[in-house]
Amino acid sequence: DENDQGEDKLEKGSKREGKTAWEIASFYTDAFKTDIKRVNIIDPTKFVAATDHIKEQIDQVKKLIANGYTYQTDDGIYYDTTKNDTYGDLINLKGQSLQAGARVDLGQKKNPHDFALWKFSPKDEQRQMEWKTELGANDGELRLGFPGWHIECTAMSMKYLGDHFDIHTGGIDLSRVHHINEIAQAESITNKKPWVNYWVHGEFLQVKDEKMSKSLGNLYTVQSIIDQNIDPLAYRFFALQTHYRKQLNFTLEALTAAQEGLKRMRRLIGELPAEGSNNQFRNEFIEKLEQDLNTAEAIAILWKEIKEKTISKQDIDYADNVLGLDLITADQEIPDEVAQLLQQRETARANKEWQQSDDLRDQIATLGYVVRDNQQGQSIEKI
């Protein structure tokens, strides 16, 4: 956790599900890749795994040791935040204070905000993910250990993006610990060279005004909304109508309303002329996006122009290159029977049930629609 305490989530999942930690990681990686296609998120140039970059993480810990930013305890190597006079500037940490009366169990940590760079494996516990290194070992020996979770991200991002890059994103909860620790590591390695120009933090998705979590029984997945005959792109449409820095309250009723709105938008787009370019619309649309990715106002402008029929399908295609809502390819009204078969096929493909997927495609074809598979998932057209 944020205080370098608690059980590793992969190790915990392994015990719970009777699978190896590597199998657990592979399962959720595959699920993530499937789900981002379902909501039209373009694949990154490269997917990277922390366990493939242990050498880079070890090298960074060694550099931090050499630069004088660390100390060693019985359970690991820690970053000394008092050695960094800009630590926490991202969230104005110097202007904050610990809650009066709050007790912080430091153990052998020197300061409350110090964090683990490398942890030593407990002698009475065998981990599935641990590596032998000279970190913390006696001369000529190796010692089992594993990386702290902050160093993983710094090592991977700096390998592929360099010592300085433009944008770093993440959830709002990462700003107060994880991201300030990443900055401390990176800039202590590069002798205070500024690491990132812009930090973009997304706010929480709430469920009926509560945090989404398994323990509360209010966890939704892309598959769970598909099982309720909801288009995954309806969720994308729902999310884009709120600014990313504002909390969004998720309910099935709101998602259903978003789906009906998306269907209506596609239906009205089907009535627009095919050709033409409305430069004023395009300029206003981009202007809103340039105002801190204000997708909500960009969509409001799009809705206005669609209802007034002052734009063409060419303009829609221009906007949809950003929105990713399949507004052109899905502008015809698909019968409910076909839509349900299409969602069943998406589920079959996700479960790698290829024969069922082919059978459903043939069944859809008998209803007058052709299904095509592509990088984003599947698209459908009337024959």
Side-chain angles (χ1 to χ4, degrees), residues 338 341-342 345 357-371 380-383:
V338 175
L341 292 172
L342 195 64
R345 184 172 184 270
S357 171
D358 291 343
D359 292 344
L360 287 165
R361 180 187 59 200
D362 294 341
Q363 191 174 346
I364 291 170
T366 63
L367 297 174
Y369 291 84
V370 60
V371 180
I380 188 169
E381 292 181 13
K382 190 171 180 63
I383 301 174

Side-chain angles (χ1 to χ4, degrees), residues 39 92 135 165 223 266 274 307 325 336 351 378 382:
V39 293
N92 188 29
L135 293 174
F165 53 94
Q223 184 59 54
R266 288 169 172 170
K307 292 174 181 177
L325 294 171
D336 289 341
N351 295 331
Q378 55 184 359
K382 190 171 180 63

Side-chain angles (χ1 to χ4, degrees), residues 19-50:
K19 300 177 181 178
T20 69
W22 304 93
E23 289 172 336
I24 297 290
S26 178
F27 173 83
Y28 284 105
T29 298
D30 290 343
F32 173 76
K33 290 179 178 179
T34 296
D35 283 350
I36 64 172
K37 284 182 170 59
R38 287 168 160 176
V39 293
N40 272 358
I41 294 175
I42 300 171
D43 281 351
T45 304
K46 186 176 182 66
F47 283 101
V48 296

Side-chain angles (χ1 to χ4, degrees), residues 2 28 45 62 86 90 118 180 204 216 267 270 273 303 338:
E2 292 177 349
Y28 284 105
T45 304
K62 289 179 178 178
T86 61
L90 179 70
W118 189 265
I180 62 174
F204 286 132
L216 293 175
R267 184 170 61 252
W303 254 124
V338 175

